[in-house]
Amino acid sequence: MDAEEQLKGWFTGRLPEGWFAGRPEIVLDREEITVLGTLPPLTVADDLPDVEKAAALDGYIERFRAETRERRIDIAREAEHRFRRKVSWGVVAGEETVMFTTLSVPVMTRLRQPERQVLDTLVAAGVARSRSDALAWCVRLVGKHTDTWLADLRDALQHVDRVRAAGPDVVD
């Protein structure tokens, strides 16, 4: 069984029924596992004016966060021990996605002067507080505008991994 499938299956079996409408989205990389569940619809807010509906949704998310906190911590500890990655939590409610916890991981890169000048311009303009923030801003911007392309690229990489795994073992 693929390690990612095993991890997703473990969370599917470990999370309490009723927390989410359907299976949560489990996203992982080398450092972090993100559990993003869709909350069941808040039908009591259907007939409310927009301002009250938004406030009710915020309250709904905060109630879920508070009521599930201890269990989420226990599940995260088990998963962190088992899978050797930190666990982050978030929910989708209506059109809103709220992350309760996230992991910020430092990443080292080497940039030439023209690339550094881009970062320095973002800092000078007040878009970012530092080169690090400017670089993170650039990565988010690229990710936001190339979602489909990145998804296709990730699918292709998964196909390469499957082909490699099915290939012959190489002995030195």
Side-chain angles (χ1 to χ4, degrees):
M1 182 186 285
D2 178 57
E4 185 173 345
E5 290 172 343
Q6 183 180 16
L7 183 140
K8 288 179 178 184
W10 185 87
F11 272 99
T12 299
R14 184 63 182 87
L15 294 173
E17 290 185 33
W19 270 16
F20 304 123
R23 290 177 59 180
E25 179 182 0
I26 310 290
V27 180
L28 69 139
D29 64 13
R30 289 183 282 184
E31 294 88 15
E32 181 178 21
I33 301 165
T34 301
V35 180
L36 186 63
T38 300
L39 295 179
L42 182 63
T43 55
V44 71
D46 285 345
D47 297 330
L48 297 176
D50 288 345
V51 173
E52 287 183 47
K53 188 181 288 189
L57 196 59
D58 287 345
Y60 180 45
I61 292 168
E62 286 304 316
R63 176 170 42 106
F64 175 85
R65 184 178 188 176
E67 290 176 355
T68 62
R69 187 176 195 285
E70 293 300 319
R71 300 255 335 251
R72 286 185 293 108
I73 289 170
D74 290 342
I75 293 167
R77 283 187 183 137
E78 288 177 37
E80 288 168 5
H81 178 74
R82 181 182 200 110
F83 300 108
R84 305 280 184 229
R85 292 180 175 105
K86 290 292 188 183
V87 177
S88 297
W89 297 91
V91 294
V92 176
E95 300 296 315
E96 192 171 352
T97 299
V98 177
M99 294 304 300
F100 300 154
T101 55
T102 57
L103 187 64
S104 291
V105 177
V107 177
M108 176 78 87
T109 187
R110 296 180 189 278
L111 300 174
R112 298 188 187 282
Q113 187 178 38
E115 296 153 338
R116 292 191 311 268
Q117 288 174 335
V118 169
L119 300 180
D120 292 341
T121 300
L122 293 171
V123 171
V127 173
R129 293 177 303 199
S130 65
R131 282 180 170 178
S132 177
D133 286 343
L135 187 56
W137 182 87
C138 291
V139 170
R140 284 191 302 274
L141 185 65
V142 169
K144 182 177 178 182
H145 293 289
T146 58
D147 281 342
T148 304
W149 180 79
L150 287 172
D152 291 345
L153 188 59
R154 287 184 186 110
D155 289 343
L157 288 171
Q158 287 177 347
H159 177 71
V160 168
D161 288 342
R162 285 191 297 272
V163 170
R164 281 186 184 149
D169 289 333
V170 178
V171 179
D172 289 328

